[in-house]
Amino acid sequence: MYGNDFAPPEDAPGGGLLGEVEAAEAALREAAARARRGGPAPDEDAEAYFADVIDADQKIEPRDWMPEAYRKTLIRQIAQHAHSEIIGMQPEGNWISRAPSLKRKAILLAKVQDEAGHGLYLYAAAETLGISRDELVELLLNGRQKYSSIFNYPTLTWADVGAIGWLVDGAAIVNQVPLCRCSYGPYARAMIRVCKEESFHQRQGYEILHTLAHGTEAQKAMAQDAVNRWWYPSLAMFGPPDGDSTHSAQSMAWKIKRFSNDELRQRFVDMCVGQAEVLGLTIPDPDLRFNEERQAYDYTQPDYDELMRVIKGNGPCNRERMAHRQRAHADGAWVREAATAYAAKRAEQKEAVAA
Amino acid sequence: MTTVFDFTLGLGDDALIAAQRLGEWTTRAPEMEEDIALANIALDQLGAARLLLTYAGELEGAGRDEDALAYLRGDREFRNCLLVELPNGDFAVTVAKLFFLAAWQLPLYTALAGCADERLAAIGAKARKESAYHLDHASLWMKRLGDGTDESHRRAQDAVDQVWPYVHELFVPAPGAPVDPATLRADVDATVAAVLDEATLTRPETSWAPGGGRDGVHTEHLSYLLAEMQVLHRAHPGARW
């Protein structure tokens, strides 16, 4: 009764992807059981050992030697992921006070709470690479590190909460499920945990849209309008097309990434079409059709110029999202200082007693 | 005489309005851990509210479910205490409100767990475990703020001064209710005194004791809170969500 208390409709998404997460978890256990060599042999250099671990599909762990560029790429990617969880609380948090039933309010509160938890979990994974959470938060607040472009779009109606769950969380899972097999152990393990909850969130969003699409005319129109606004920004979440993607090749060689942006985008489109049909909603792309030859859907690409504008800070809500985060951080400074001062006093007392 | 319906509705409204206020903190808390904690407590309060309002609707027998009670009553029909509807203020005000509420809800739900009404006893048994956590969390923050820096001490004392008068309403006698709140006073006072002492904070000397919430006479804040909470539900009469 306290939140996630509905039975998912049988046609709800998430099942197949969740299976992939579980398979990745099993593979992770097997890799660990294969008892990776404890370190480079006496006559072997660290670089060769690193390459060997990657080739054998085993995991790099925090104490292992790793190329500096590998470390930097991972810090950038994991931090951006963590920031996205934290900033991503805002568009949905916007509807907690106005959720239209107590059940929906409870589910939404639980979901936003999960996102904060994912953020903390990812910051902890990033910290294993030798950077502190405080430093990362600072990089977010001064705009030197990014978060996902999708959270710069506004949530204008309740249906947007459903569309975020279905499309945005759906895109996130398609993107993140392969990361469950990422070569860096702490990130792979974080992703397994995050993906399990995300897949649950996606089903919740789908269920909101399903209820709306089968409700009153006004509710159905609200659902369609939300899908119309969130479809292309969700496609853009996979990043620029492969030809323009700067980090892809190296990340794939290091087995951080497993599939290209365009491959994942295609997988997402193929997954959504059937689900939209069951919802009774239309995907806002007149050129969407099945291509027999490719056994995949042809679709209209998102506007990548818009994506670049949003990434550069000129989306509808970039300024608001950043200002909100900066304000919360600044307003809370006296509280964090109090906690630090109190802890120091307690530590002094303990020392005095011990002496 | 306070009927079981009045009593249940009052407790349900306390929890619902407290949840609504705590939910406003989401994405605004001083640190990420606290964002999670406040959402967690909001979720507990909302869970208790749903159980209590559902039961109140059944007791009333007029076909109102939790949503009808939450979304389709006006502010003169709400029965929550004034304490929970006060604005969040700064973090110290929120902590003080939560601290006094939890210090009262814990013995209340504990007593409820032993009452003759089986439904209320079950709700009390579940909710008291959560209240113990809320009280623990709020007590720790009272101490951190009260005995932290000069600035946090000043804010914490301001918060206690501001909120304390509203605590008296929690003990308005309710003869005939499954638990008479008047019987909780000594227990709550002892908890409050111990924590405030350790936090180097004092209760203000004032005889001002605002009340009226249990009779549906609220502060000016509640109507705005309800306007926001109910806007979408009321815009689509009869819709399912």
Side-chain angles (χ1 to χ4, degrees):
Chain A
M1 175 114 205
Y2 276 39
N4 309 319
D5 60 341
F6 63 87
E10 276 173 21
D11 43 39
L17 288 167
L18 205 53
E20 283 184 45
V21 175
E22 273 154 19
E25 195 173 16
L28 195 67
R29 275 197 302 270
E30 282 161 25
R34 285 203 301 273
R36 206 192 66 165
R37 291 188 291 142
D43 55 346
E44 188 183 19
D45 67 14
E47 204 158 342
Y49 176 71
F50 174 84
D52 195 38
V53 171
I54 300 271
D55 283 347
D57 263 337
Q58 303 209 277
K59 301 302 169 196
I60 301 295
E61 295 297 339
R63 287 176 194 197
D64 292 333
W65 180 89
M66 60 188 86
E68 208 38 44
Y70 177 85
R71 184 187 302 273
K72 280 196 177 134
T73 295
L74 277 168
I75 289 177
R76 195 194 67 246
Q77 185 174 338
I78 300 173
Q80 174 167 331
H81 196 160
H83 300 331
S84 299
E85 297 283 357
I86 298 302
I87 299 289
M89 294 165 70
Q90 289 183 40
E92 290 173 289
N94 182 36
W95 281 91
I96 289 174
S97 68
R98 293 171 293 166
S101 75
L102 297 186
K103 182 178 104 174
R104 291 293 175 204
K105 191 192 288 284
I107 292 171
L108 184 56
L109 255 171
K111 179 184 177 184
V112 176
Q113 187 189 3
D114 280 349
E115 283 161 4
H118 294 172
L120 290 184
Y121 203 52
L122 286 160
Y123 282 123
E127 284 188 319
T128 65
L129 291 159
I131 188 161
S132 74
R133 179 172 119 191
D134 286 349
E135 288 174 89
L136 293 172
V137 167
E138 196 53 43
L139 288 167
L140 168 67
L141 293 176
N142 65 26
R144 291 181 48 212
Q145 279 185 345
K146 306 282 185 207
Y147 55 87
S148 176
S149 59
I150 194 80
F151 300 119
N152 294 311
Y153 290 87
T155 46
L156 303 178
T157 72
W158 169 251
D160 289 33
V161 173
I164 287 184
W166 178 45
L167 294 174
V168 175
D169 293 339
I173 302 168
V174 168
N175 215 353
Q176 290 168 13
V177 162
L179 292 172
C180 294
R181 294 174 185 270
C182 152
S183 60
Y184 188 58
Y187 194 29
R189 290 188 288 272
M191 281 300 95
I192 286 170
R193 188 156 146 182
V194 169
C195 282
K196 285 183 181 176
E197 289 182 357
E198 289 291 359
S199 132
F200 199 69
H201 295 165
Q202 194 211 6
R203 271 200 282 188
Q204 291 169 346
Y206 181 84
E207 221 240 357
I208 288 175
L209 287 182
H210 194 272
T211 306
L212 294 175
H214 294 81
T216 65
E217 280 306 307
Q219 285 178 304
K220 184 164 185 185
M222 192 193 283
Q224 184 62 58
D225 170 61
V227 170
N228 292 350
R229 281 181 289 109
W230 287 92
W231 173 252
Y232 283 113
S234 300
L235 288 193
M237 281 174 73
F238 295 95
D242 291 350
D244 305 343
S245 182
T246 40
H247 305 295
S248 278
Q250 182 61 74
S251 285
M252 286 173 78
W254 277 328
K255 293 186 181 170
I256 296 175
K257 273 182 87 153
R258 297 273 174 160
F259 303 96
S260 77
N261 294 354
D262 287 334
E263 281 174 295
L264 292 170
R265 192 166 10 241
Q266 181 71 57
R267 188 178 295 186
F268 176 69
V269 171
D270 292 345
M271 184 184 95
C272 287
V273 174
Q275 292 170 2
E277 278 166 18
V278 178
L279 285 173
L281 296 172
T282 310
I283 288 175
D285 180 357
D287 294 328
L288 183 77
R289 57 180 54 87
F290 194 68
N291 182 324
E292 289 290 345
E293 208 171 300
R294 294 198 304 121
Q295 286 296 300
Y297 283 87
D298 291 336
Y299 62 95
T300 307
Q301 292 290 321
D303 177 351
Y304 292 110
D305 292 339
E306 175 179 318
L307 175 66
M308 291 323 291
R309 279 198 301 279
V310 176
I311 287 175
K312 289 200 169 113
N314 289 324
C317 297
N318 297 61
R319 285 161 176 76
E320 250 174 79
R321 301 289 185 243
M322 284 298 281
H324 184 103
R325 193 69 238 137
Q326 286 160 347
R327 192 164 53 239
H329 190 76
D331 288 354
W334 70 272
V335 177
R336 296 191 299 275
E337 283 158 19
T340 306
Y342 179 81
K345 284 184 195 177
R346 294 288 81 76
E348 261 172 46
Q349 267 177 4
K350 224 182 222 172
E351 226 166 79
V353 171
Chain B
M1 281 293 284
T2 305
T3 65
V4 181
F5 168 71
D6 295 332
F7 176 78
T8 307
L9 188 65
L11 295 192
D13 285 349
D14 287 349
L16 175 61
I17 303 302
Q20 185 74 4
R21 283 293 186 219
L22 288 165
E24 291 171 16
W25 271 101
T26 305
T27 74
R28 291 180 171 80
E31 37 184 46
M32 293 172 205
E33 286 82 354
E34 197 52 26
D35 229 313
I36 295 178
L38 293 178
N40 203 339
I41 296 170
L43 200 53
D44 287 344
Q45 294 283 354
L46 184 55
R50 295 180 66 191
L51 295 172
L52 288 160
L53 292 180
T54 297
Y55 185 42
E58 289 171 27
L59 288 167
E60 185 188 40
R64 293 202 281 183
D65 63 7
E66 58 177 26
D67 286 335
L69 287 169
Y71 290 97
L72 299 174
R73 280 182 298 153
D75 59 310
R76 293 282 284 111
E77 297 160 284
F78 266 77
R79 291 290 178 269
N80 59 282
C81 60
L82 304 184
L83 174 72
V84 293
E85 73 196 44
L86 299 177
N88 282 336
D90 67 5
F91 186 69
V93 171
T94 290
V95 164
K97 281 172 59 182
L98 179 63
F99 171 61
F100 292 128
L101 180 68
W104 176 75
Q105 280 181 332
L106 178 57
L108 173 85
Y109 286 138
T110 303
L112 205 59
C115 83
D117 184 309
E118 278 182 25
R119 283 283 289 282
L120 286 177
I123 295 170
K126 182 169 172 49
R128 73 175 166 187
K129 292 177 201 149
E130 295 162 353
S131 291
Y133 157 70
H134 305 168
L135 179 59
D136 192 54
H137 190 74
S139 300
L140 186 54
W141 272 117
M142 286 305 298
K143 294 178 210 169
R144 282 178 180 149
L145 298 182
D147 194 18
T149 62
D150 290 345
E151 165 81 351
S152 71
H153 178 84
R154 181 186 65 75
R155 287 179 184 251
Q157 186 61 59
D158 277 355
V160 170
D161 293 351
Q162 197 180 315
V163 167
W164 175 251
Y166 292 91
V167 174
H168 301 295
E169 186 192 11
L170 298 173
F171 305 105
V172 169
V179 174
D180 184 348
T183 62
L184 305 171
R185 180 102 224 192
D187 194 336
V188 176
D189 276 343
T191 305
V192 167
V195 173
L196 290 190
D197 269 358
E198 213 186 315
T200 72
L201 297 168
T202 54
R203 280 171 287 180
E205 301 280 342
T206 172
S207 57
W208 184 53
R214 301 286 182 224
D215 301 317
V217 181
H218 292 276
T219 66
E220 291 176 346
H221 305 296
L222 184 64
S223 177
Y224 287 98
L225 180 149
L226 295 180
E228 184 173 345
M229 184 172 87
Q230 298 175 340
V231 60
L232 178 58
H233 187 96
R234 285 188 186 262
H236 297 265
R240 275 183 57 249
W241 299 97

